[in-house]
């Protein structure tokens, strides 16, 4: 215990050192409180991101990965510990990485860049997964410190889109087939009717009779083919459930 009643016991240097020590203690307490706040924010952030189905990761200003949630591990096949500190471009296919780098150049040059991008992630097992990226700046106390990226697996959506395209192609082919079938049907109908009319007035022993009969029979065969084509081209709707 130090008696402080007599100020003469402390030199000016002692007082200066005391002020410095007190300032350091105050700064340490402030840093401790700030660290506790950061820890709480990180814990809250982790709770939120771990509950998402979409992969979430953050990068610093050098584009190195600094954080990733469990969904990122499922999407990429990597553990987060394997990714932290590495360039985020290593997550993507060669073509996708080049496109992302081009977007970065555009952004640095001041050109407007969309915050959404469809691209492909290259998994650890060597397979590629289509994803939709959403990018936002990561700002701390008014200063940009990196970016946060949300990667959504769109494999199912791509499959459905491809199914829709194939369906639309079939509809287009069906419409074309129906148009061709109608045109051929009209032409063959005239030919068939003419052949049948001529056959009625042509004796069986006439040289043209056999020729007209062949025309008539082939027109009938072609008509059956056209009906089948129209049946294929006709839109099919699912029958209502009983």
């Amino acid at each position: 215990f130090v008696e402080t009643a007599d100020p003469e016991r402390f030199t000016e240097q002692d007082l200066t050192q005391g002020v410095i020590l007190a300032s350091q203690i105050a700064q340490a307490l402030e840093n401790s409180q700030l660290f506790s706040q950061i820890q709480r924010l990180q814990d809250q952030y982790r709770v939120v991101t771990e509950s998402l189905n979409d992969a979430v990761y953050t990068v610093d200003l050098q584009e190195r990965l600094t954080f990733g949630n469990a969904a990122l591990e499922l999407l990429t096949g990597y553990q987060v510990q394997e990714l932290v500190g590495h360039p985020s471009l290593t997550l993507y296919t060669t073509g996708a990485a080049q496109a992302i780098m081009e977007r970065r150049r555009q952004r640095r040059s001041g050109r407007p860049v969309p915050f959404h991008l469809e691209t492909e992630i290259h998994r650890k097992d060597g397979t590629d997964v289509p994803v939709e990226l959403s990018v936002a700046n990561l700002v701390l106390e008014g200063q940009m410190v990196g970016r946060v990226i949300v990667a959504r697996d769109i494999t199912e959506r791509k499959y459905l889109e491809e199914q829709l395209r194939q369906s639309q192609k079939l509809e287009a082919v069906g419409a074309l087939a129906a148009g061709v079938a109608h045109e051929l049907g009209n032409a063959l109908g005239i030919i068939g009717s003419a052949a049948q009319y001529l056959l009625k007035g042509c004796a069986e022993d006439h040289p043209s009779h056999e020729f007209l009969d062949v025309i008539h029979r082939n027109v009938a065969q072609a008509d059956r083919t056209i009906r089948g084509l129209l049946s294929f081209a006709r839109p099919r709707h699912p029958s209502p459930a009983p």
Side-chain angles (χ1 to χ4, degrees):
F1 180 75
V2 178
E3 176 62 49
T4 59
D6 184 4
E8 298 299 328
R9 295 176 64 89
F10 296 95
T11 66
E12 183 177 351
Q13 183 179 2
D14 292 332
L15 293 174
T16 300
Q17 291 177 343
V19 171
I20 294 174
L21 179 61
S23 175
Q24 291 175 340
I25 292 173
Q27 184 64 46
L29 288 172
E30 183 179 348
N31 289 342
S32 176
Q33 293 173 349
L34 179 60
F35 179 76
S36 297
Q37 291 176 357
I38 292 174
Q39 285 291 101
R40 285 196 298 272
L41 288 173
Q42 287 180 338
D43 290 340
Q44 293 173 358
Y45 183 67
R46 185 171 289 104
V47 168
V48 171
T49 57
E50 293 302 322
S51 66
L52 296 175
N53 292 325
D54 294 336
V56 178
Y57 67 91
T58 59
V59 296
D60 59 19
L61 295 178
Q62 286 72 45
E63 304 293 342
R64 295 173 302 203
L65 198 136
T66 55
F67 169 84
N69 66 348
L72 181 67
E73 295 182 338
L74 291 175
L75 179 63
T76 65
Y78 290 97
Q79 297 294 315
V80 171
Q81 292 85 347
E82 299 178 80
L83 299 173
V84 170
H86 294 279
S88 61
L89 286 180
T90 57
L91 289 173
Y92 300 94
T93 62
T94 302
Q98 291 174 348
I100 292 172
M101 290 177 64
E102 177 59 28
R103 286 166 60 91
R104 289 176 182 173
R105 285 191 289 268
Q106 293 176 1
R107 184 170 56 246
R108 285 194 292 268
S109 67
R111 294 169 59 185
V113 177
F115 286 98
H116 298 279
L117 171 68
E118 285 192 10
T119 185
E120 286 185 324
I121 276 182
H122 188 66
R123 285 176 50 84
K124 188 176 183 179
D125 61 11
T127 59
D128 298 333
V129 181
V131 294
E132 180 183 65
L133 301 184
S134 299
V135 185
N137 292 335
L138 194 59
V139 179
L140 180 63
E141 296 182 353
Q143 183 177 2
M144 180 177 169
V145 295
R147 276 186 290 277
V148 57
I149 297 92
V150 178
R152 171 168 295 178
D153 186 341
I154 56 174
T155 301
E156 183 176 358
R157 192 181 83 189
K158 286 293 185 182
Y159 171 78
L160 293 175
E161 288 176 351
E162 180 60 25
Q163 292 295 103
L164 177 60
R165 279 193 293 269
Q166 293 299 328
S167 176
Q168 290 172 337
K169 286 180 182 178
L170 285 175
E171 287 182 7
V173 170
L176 177 62
V180 171
H182 279 297
E183 291 296 326
L184 286 176
N186 292 336
L188 288 173
I190 295 172
I191 294 171
S193 297
Q196 187 176 15
Y197 175 77
L198 293 173
L199 273 172
K200 289 180 180 180
C202 185
E204 291 186 5
D205 58 352
H206 192 281
S208 299
H209 186 278
E210 184 178 357
F211 179 66
L212 292 171
D213 185 58
V214 170
I215 293 176
H216 185 264
R217 284 187 282 107
N218 278 274
V219 166
Q221 177 61 40
D223 184 65
R224 287 191 291 271
T225 301
I226 288 172
R227 291 181 186 275
L229 189 59
L230 286 172
S231 177
F232 163 78
R234 189 176 299 116
R236 289 178 173 81
H237 301 285
S239 302

